[in-house]
Amino acid sequence: MNIVGLLLVVLGGVLSGLFTAPMAYVKGWQWENSWLIYTIYAMVLFPWIFVFFALESVPDIYSNAPAHAIIMALVFGFIWGVGSVTFGLGVKAVGNALGFAIILGLTSAIGAALPLVVLHPEDVGTRQGIFTWIGLGIVIVGLYVLARAGSQKERDLAVTKELTPLIQSVGNEDTNPGKSNFVHGLILCIISGLFSPCLNLAIAFGSDLAKEATDLGNSKTFSDNATWTLAVGAGMITNASYCIYLLCKNNTWGLFSDSTLPLGRNAALMAFSGLLWFGGNTVYTVGGQMIGSLGTVIGWPIFMISMIAASNVFGLFKGEWTGTSTSAKRQLALGLFILCGAVVFIALG
């Protein structure tokens, strides 16, 4: 196995797992302010700058590619945008550690199951199919354990710190996007986990774009970026639209011009957040290509596990589980172990 490729996959997972970390250091902005700036950098500026840098004859790629490939990339990218919005809301609601684990656990399992059912239905009853369905069942068990851990965490914090419920409702004055209960945040994470795999479908059904890029002399290593850039650009519409809705609803447009706030610092932090997300995915793609034919089999679970590990380390560093009982922390560790095991199990198929 190519060790450099493997290390790049791990690095990609770590970078992607930390992409929400800069939001913790933004001062004075509401969630919608931060997420809008992140969206612009992560889903528009960085992808298009990179695609023109990495690929040749970019206009020809899109003009020569079949219309159905472009439409599929845009449609599934738009749907993936729903998963991206709820990712941001869910992680903000339940914390980095729990949010990443729940969302990525679902994404990894469904991301393996959807292409199998949609693109290769003849393999549903094969070894790969059976391992995928069993793995999905294991993911559900892991999600249940994590849900119990999160619920216990909320109760512990309410008792030991005399706090109001952890999650605040979307659009109120607090920096959290919601005032509800743990179930609300859990639902957001599950919705994200269900919709996020649509990015994989965008790449799968828009594969003729990548083929066109290769036919025009571009490297296979970066050819998927022709599809990926179009898909995340469509997802930007979903993300930006919801942010603009909240900016109008909460009258928070003025925070972008409030001279008492560190505007340049906030914008730089969210640009860095976008760079972490985009860079992590790009590094993973390159690493998977270097590994070779087993890149998606070995690389994908390692990428997911690296993301979950990095997000949990940051969550612990920020004290998300400070003041919680040993029981809650044990359930968190058990849930993480089950999810990682499920990802590996699916890969073995």
Side-chain angles (χ1 to χ4, degrees):
M1 183 188 299
N2 189 304
I3 300 300
V4 175
L6 184 63
L7 292 175
L8 285 176
V9 168
V10 173
L11 175 61
V14 171
L15 293 175
S16 296
L18 295 176
F19 90 90
T20 60
M23 287 189 72
Y25 302 97
V26 171
K27 303 296 183 183
W29 281 0
Q30 295 293 311
W31 178 87
E32 57 266 27
N33 299 91
S34 299
W35 199 258
L36 180 61
I37 301 302
Y38 154 76
T39 295
I40 292 171
Y41 279 100
M43 302 178 195
V44 181
L45 294 180
F46 290 140
W48 282 106
I49 290 172
F50 183 79
V51 82
F52 274 97
F53 174 79
L55 300 178
E56 297 179 357
S57 306
V58 173
D60 292 335
I61 294 173
Y62 295 110
S63 62
N64 296 340
H68 72 84
I70 295 176
I71 292 172
M72 288 294 97
L74 291 173
V75 169
F76 283 113
F78 185 85
I79 298 173
W80 162 80
V82 176
S84 177
V85 170
T86 49
F87 191 112
L89 293 170
V91 168
K92 183 67 176 178
V94 304
N96 282 274
L98 202 56
F100 267 84
I102 293 172
I103 294 168
L104 295 180
L106 267 176
T107 298
S108 60
I110 296 175
L114 273 180
L116 184 68
V117 173
V118 176
L119 299 177
H120 305 285
E122 68 279 3
D123 292 331
V124 168
T126 64
R127 172 188 168 90
Q128 180 182 359
I130 293 172
F131 270 64
T132 298
W133 300 126
I134 295 176
L136 190 56
I138 297 174
V139 165
I140 293 173
V141 174
L143 293 179
Y144 172 76
V145 174
L146 288 174
R148 287 179 58 88
S151 181
Q152 181 66 51
K153 171 190 174 184
E154 185 181 27
R155 291 195 299 270
D156 291 343
L157 292 178
V159 171
T160 60
K161 297 184 179 181
E162 298 181 351
L163 296 177
T164 52
L166 174 66
I167 303 173
Q168 313 270 323
S169 61
V170 172
N172 93 357
E173 302 167 346
D174 193 75
T175 54
N176 286 327
K179 187 174 194 173
S180 178
N181 49 35
F182 174 73
V183 174
H184 183 198
L186 180 62
I187 290 172
L188 288 172
C189 291
I190 291 175
I191 292 173
S192 178
L194 293 174
F195 281 87
S196 293
C198 284
L199 186 57
N200 291 343
L201 293 181
I203 294 173
F205 284 101
S207 59
D208 283 341
L209 282 163
K211 181 179 181 299
E212 185 63 35
T214 304
D215 290 344
L216 289 174
N218 290 290
S219 168
K220 287 186 178 181
T221 302
F222 299 115
S223 60
D224 274 342
N225 281 277
T227 312
W228 193 79
T229 299
L230 208 60
V232 297
M236 182 277 297
I237 297 174
T238 317
N239 283 264
S241 296
Y242 186 69
C243 289
I244 291 171
Y245 162 74
L246 287 183
L247 287 165
C248 294
K249 177 177 180 289
N250 300 332
N251 195 28
T252 45
W253 282 105
L255 295 178
F256 285 127
S257 57
D258 190 338
S259 60
T260 65
L261 299 177
L263 302 179
R265 179 177 180 272
N266 286 352
L269 283 169
M270 296 321 299
F272 183 51
S273 182
L275 183 62
L276 287 173
W277 182 81
F278 168 75
N281 282 276
T282 302
V283 170
Y284 159 69
T285 301
V286 174
Q289 291 284 347
M290 292 178 67
I291 290 176
S293 59
L294 293 178
T296 55
V297 176
I298 297 175
W300 178 249
I302 293 175
F303 180 61
M304 289 287 104
I305 292 170
S306 298
M307 286 182 70
I308 293 173
S311 61
N312 273 270
V313 169
F314 178 75
L316 294 173
F317 171 76
K318 288 296 294 180
E320 291 180 357
W321 292 80
T322 300
T324 59
S325 64
T326 301
S327 174
K329 293 174 182 176
R330 284 176 177 171
Q331 289 182 79
L332 172 66
L334 177 60
L336 290 172
F337 177 79
I338 293 173
L339 283 185
C340 290
V343 173
V344 173
F345 188 84
I346 291 171
L348 291 176

